[in-house]
Amino acid sequence: MPQNQIQSLLRRPRLVILLPLLLFFLWFWTTSLFSSPPPPMASSSLDSDSNTTPSNSSAMALPVIPPAKANEELVYESLPCIRIYKSGLVERYFGSEFTPASTNPTTGVTSKDVVIDSRIGVGARLYLPKLSDESKKIPILVYYHGGGFCLGSAYNPTFHNYFNGFVALSNVLVVSVEYRLAPEHPVPAQYEDSWLALDWVVSHADGAGQEPWINKHADFDRLYLGGESAGANIAHHIAMKVGSSGLGKPVKINGLAMIHPYFLGSNKVESDSIDPAASESLASLWKVVNPTTTGIDDPFINPFVAGAPKLDGLASSRVLVCVAGKDTLRDRGKLYYNKLKESGWNGELELREAPGVGHTFHLLFPTSEEAVAQDRAISAFLNY
């Protein structure tokens, strides 16, 4: 896809248009500036660096957001997260914070960064649980982070802290993919990078790849794809491509974990009314990250429309769909579950709804009761 500029026909959205990202930011801010690190929940084995490493928390600070540039036409704004100008200039105030790989002193989870393609900037952060038996093979999860295709990073403190807890709970090897962001790299760059990352992971299936952790510990009979929000969208499309193209090696996708997936459509669903402004803004966001799109019935964002690849071609023997009760995208996730069930796809399908919580709540409040319950469900899915 050509790297064309954001088209001027895109209207500026009203005030804050990415409610989940705003909540994400506010949680970061309030926990780092005004709260003492909370003790771990007695009922959970999950811990994060924010609970165990005060230096990570205290390093966070409220970003200084300057006025919009007077000499630039502003075509997209979602404060306190991002501004995008017609010239192609992008100012990100949130989501690009970096925390180094480490060994978590509480969970024993160790992480490291790897370069997959230095030419275009594709990489990953790997997470390995503390193993009592170093010869043991464990499930491997290739994970794609969310952020509306334009924000977030595998190296962000929130994802890092989350996986330090989740990997200890689930006892899986996680490959958290770092892909290029829109609008500098419009859709479908994110899908291309994510495919490249999966191909790199699969290159280790014979035990002779570049990364020793994957060679030694990954059980390729239990290879999973997953992601939250836009990352779940990516995971779906990667699984569809595996179905049509294969992986080049005798490896299959054992399961697909779809967490609060970011899908849209011109058809109305009940959860659109939870926050109509957020639903509208998500449609605006899609036009920014994919400026040559046909709209919200583009098969990339609406995989149920005529002309989209048939869902029965999904290359996964099992699928878990997680939705949140107060998420405006809730019923899009349920629609995915129902459409896949009706498609003739021959696999095991599970739907899980967390009541009373919003989009990506497990990242915002990782030790909450619902977050722990959801993580346990995902862990059980990966260790089936």
Side-chain angles (χ1 to χ4, degrees):
M1 173 177 285
Q3 308 283 314
N4 47 336
Q5 298 174 337
I6 305 303
Q7 298 177 22
S8 59
L9 58 86
L10 296 178
R11 62 181 180 81
R12 175 176 174 175
R14 296 173 294 175
L15 300 176
V16 177
I17 68 159
L18 298 178
L19 180 59
L21 291 175
L22 174 61
L23 293 174
F24 200 30
F25 171 83
L26 291 177
W27 173 74
F28 252 170
W29 178 34
T30 55
T31 55
S32 62
L33 294 184
F34 302 114
S35 300
S36 299
M41 292 180 62
S43 61
S44 170
S45 63
L46 299 184
D47 273 307
S48 70
D49 282 352
S50 61
N51 291 338
T52 60
T53 311
S55 60
N56 277 0
S57 244
S58 61
M60 296 178 188
L62 180 66
V64 176
I65 301 176
K69 296 185 182 302
N71 59 341
E72 295 269 7
E73 182 179 346
L74 185 65
V75 296
Y76 190 87
E77 181 179 74
S78 175
L79 297 181
C81 298
I82 192 170
R83 280 191 181 121
I84 301 172
Y85 298 89
K86 184 179 179 181
S87 66
L89 173 67
V90 179
E91 295 177 338
R92 291 183 177 86
Y93 310 110
F94 165 74
S96 300
E97 303 88 346
F98 176 85
T99 195
S102 61
T103 297
N104 184 273
T106 300
T107 64
V109 171
T110 301
S111 55
K112 70 160 70 170
D113 295 334
V114 297
V115 176
I116 294 174
D117 191 322
S118 60
R119 299 168 301 163
I120 60 176
V122 180
R125 177 160 291 182
L126 276 57
Y127 294 87
L128 183 68
K130 186 177 181 179
L131 299 172
S132 56
D133 180 358
E134 285 292 323
S135 65
K136 183 180 180 181
K137 296 283 188 177
I138 57 177
I140 180 168
L141 169 64
V142 180
Y143 188 89
Y144 306 112
H145 71 78
F149 301 94
C150 64
L151 288 168
S153 168
Y155 315 126
N156 182 283
T158 292
F159 289 107
H160 180 72
N161 293 340
Y162 174 74
F163 280 122
N164 275 329
F166 178 77
V167 168
L169 172 69
S170 61
N171 206 47
V172 301
L173 172 60
V174 168
V175 180
S176 181
V177 176
E178 179 75 352
Y179 54 80
R180 291 172 293 172
L181 298 177
E184 299 95 328
H185 307 284
V187 172
Q190 296 70 37
Y191 301 104
E192 294 165 355
D193 295 355
S194 297
W195 177 261
L196 187 66
L198 176 60
D199 185 63
W200 177 83
V201 169
V202 170
S203 72
H204 296 75
D206 57 4
Q210 298 175 345
E211 173 46 52
W213 282 7
I214 302 179
N215 289 333
K216 184 176 181 180
H217 298 293
D219 180 357
F220 277 91
D221 288 332
R222 293 183 289 172
L223 172 63
Y224 291 86
L225 301 181
E228 100 287 342
S229 195
N233 176 306
I234 292 171
H236 161 76
H237 285 288
I238 296 301
M240 292 298 297
K241 184 171 181 179
V242 173
S244 62
S245 304
L247 285 169
K249 286 183 179 289
V251 174
K252 297 180 180 180
I253 305 299
N254 191 51
L256 181 63
M258 302 282 288
I259 307 167
H260 312 168
Y262 175 25
F263 294 127
L264 299 174
S266 58
N267 61 305
K268 295 298 181 182
V269 295
E270 183 179 345
S271 62
D272 288 339
S273 63
I274 292 175
D275 189 338
S279 297
E280 182 180 347
S281 70
L282 287 169
S284 298
L285 174 63
W286 173 247
K287 295 174 184 177
V288 170
V289 299
N290 187 4
T292 61
T293 184
T294 56
I296 58 174
D297 286 327
D298 184 324
F300 274 126
I301 201 67
N302 185 354
F304 321 123
V305 294
K310 293 184 178 180
L311 293 177
D312 63 359
L314 187 77
S316 176
S317 58
R318 299 167 55 239
V319 173
L320 170 65
V321 182
C322 293
V323 299
K326 290 186 176 180
D327 184 4
T328 191
L329 294 175
R330 179 195 67 202
D331 290 342
R332 303 288 175 185
K334 289 184 176 181
L335 184 61
Y336 180 84
Y337 170 87
N338 290 326
K339 290 290 187 182
L340 185 57
K341 190 175 183 179
E342 297 163 0
S343 70
W345 171 76
N346 186 24
E348 298 178 23
L349 186 58
E350 179 182 353
L351 175 67
R352 186 185 191 282
E353 180 172 350
V357 288
H359 193 66
T360 64
F361 68 91
H362 60 294
L363 296 176
L364 308 178
F365 308 105
T367 58
S368 68
E369 182 178 352
E370 284 299 338
V372 172
Q374 179 177 273
D375 284 346
R376 291 191 183 281
I378 298 168
S379 174
F381 176 76
L382 299 175
N383 285 280
Y384 177 77

